[in-house]
């Protein structure tokens, strides 16, 4: 429906970032006023809250409230069984603890002056505003940092992902993520802990190598990257973003990745931009499987929708 796509477009295009919880402005302070364990526990709880809001809202709109209008944009017509979705959620909960370890270490080092390039606020605390402005700190510097975080992290994530399929030893860890060939938004970080530890490494490395605002860094990962990851794993293509666009990866590419990419066969391993898949030669060159092409071929009719089985996902609320 129009309202469903409007809500999801808001999430995917940045409304989530603009409406980010106020705690994103306080993450540095949490690390500076708490011990290591309390900081780790707090970041894990905040990460869980972000997952419930982002993955949960998308799952509710597209799976719990499944409709013909949204199903027409689902890459794979079949809906996943509740048991598979439950598996995604359980893996997500386990890997979240590893995902928040690197940012906790970064805050721990910053607090003790061992990660001297990290700062909170608009500029490093040891600088007067005039000196900070003269050295280029301000909104412009934050914008440059955001672009750099996105570009470098996207390259790192895509390259690490490629290696997870290319090398047998890394596949032993990464294959857990591929227990879900028809993913839902809950699968964003449904990994084994080594994968999540490595994927969150930029949260530790950036503060060690360059002056970086910690709130910006955490917000970029917790909101921007996770929101886009929820879209990639949603299994649904957006009406306004074609899988055939030349720049960014869509949910279609990641759905194909989950279904067809296996050991020694990297395929559509990129996260944000398509550049890395073209460089690494990990592009599916067979017939396109996207919902857009399927509709163009005359499929996704109401008669076909009438035969689709939408599981009762309310069983996921049963903890037994």
């Amino acid at each position: 429906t129009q309202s469903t796509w409007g809500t999801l477009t808001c999430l995917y295009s940045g409304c989530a970032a603009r409406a980010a919880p106020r705690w994103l402005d306080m993450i540095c302070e949490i690390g500076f006023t708490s011990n290591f364990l309390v900081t780790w526990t707090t970041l894990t709880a905040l990460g869980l809250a972000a997952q419930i809001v982002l993955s949960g809202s998308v799952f509710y709109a597209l799976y719990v409230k499944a409709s013909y209008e949204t199903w027409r944009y689902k890459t794979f017509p079949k809906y996943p069984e509740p048991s598979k979705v439950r598996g995604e959620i359980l893996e997500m909960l386990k890997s979240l603890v590893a995902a928040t370890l690197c940012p906790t270490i970064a805050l721990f080092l910053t607090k003790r002056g061992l990660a001297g390039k990290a700062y909170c606020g608009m500029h490093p605390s040891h600088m007067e505003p005039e000196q900070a402005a003269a050295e280029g700190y301000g909104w412009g510097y934050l914008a440059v940092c955001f672009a750099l975080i996105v570009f470098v992290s996207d390259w790192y994530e895509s390259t690490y992902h490629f290696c997870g399929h290319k090398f047998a030893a890394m596949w032993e860890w990464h294959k857990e993520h591929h227990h879900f060939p028809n993913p839902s938004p809950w699968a964003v970080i449904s990994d084994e802990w080594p994968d999540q530890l490595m994927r969150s490494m930029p949260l530790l490395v950036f503060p060690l190598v360059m002056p970086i605002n910690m709130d910006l860094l955490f917000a970029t990962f917790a909101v921007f990257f996770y929101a886009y990851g929820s879209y990639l794993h949603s299994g649904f293509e957006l009406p306004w973003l074609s899988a055939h666009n030349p720049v960014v990866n869509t949910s279609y590419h990641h759905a194909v990745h989950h279904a067809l990419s296996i050991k020694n066969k990297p395929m559509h391993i990129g996260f944000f931009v398509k550049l890395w898949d073209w460089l690494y030669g990990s592009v599916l060159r067979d017939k396109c499987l996207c919902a857009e092409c399927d509709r163009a071929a005359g499929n996704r009719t109401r008669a076909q929708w009438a035969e689709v089985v939408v599981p009762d996902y309310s069983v996921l609320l049963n903890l037994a």
Side-chain angles (χ1 to χ4, degrees), residues 12-39:
Y12 299 153
S13 63
C15 287
R18 292 193 296 273
R22 292 179 63 85
W23 53 260
L24 285 175
D25 294 327
M26 303 172 64
I27 290 177
C28 267
E29 287 69 23
I30 292 172
F32 291 160
T33 59
S34 308
N35 63 39
F36 187 92
L37 184 59
V38 171
T39 300

Side-chain angles (χ1 to χ4, degrees), residues 124-176:
S125 58
H126 67 275
M127 289 186 178
E128 294 296 330
E130 295 77 11
Q131 179 189 359
E135 295 192 17
Y137 289 98
W139 289 109
Y141 182 73
L142 292 180
V144 171
C145 285
F146 174 76
L148 189 63
I149 291 168
V150 171
F151 181 81
V152 173
S153 299
D154 189 51
W155 165 79
Y156 171 77
E157 157 66 19
S158 301
T159 303
Y160 176 80
H161 197 180
F162 176 84
C163 293
H165 286 268
K166 189 69 174 178
F167 303 108
M170 296 181 68
W171 171 252
E172 286 303 307
W173 292 113
H174 183 60
K175 66 182 180 182
E176 182 66 33

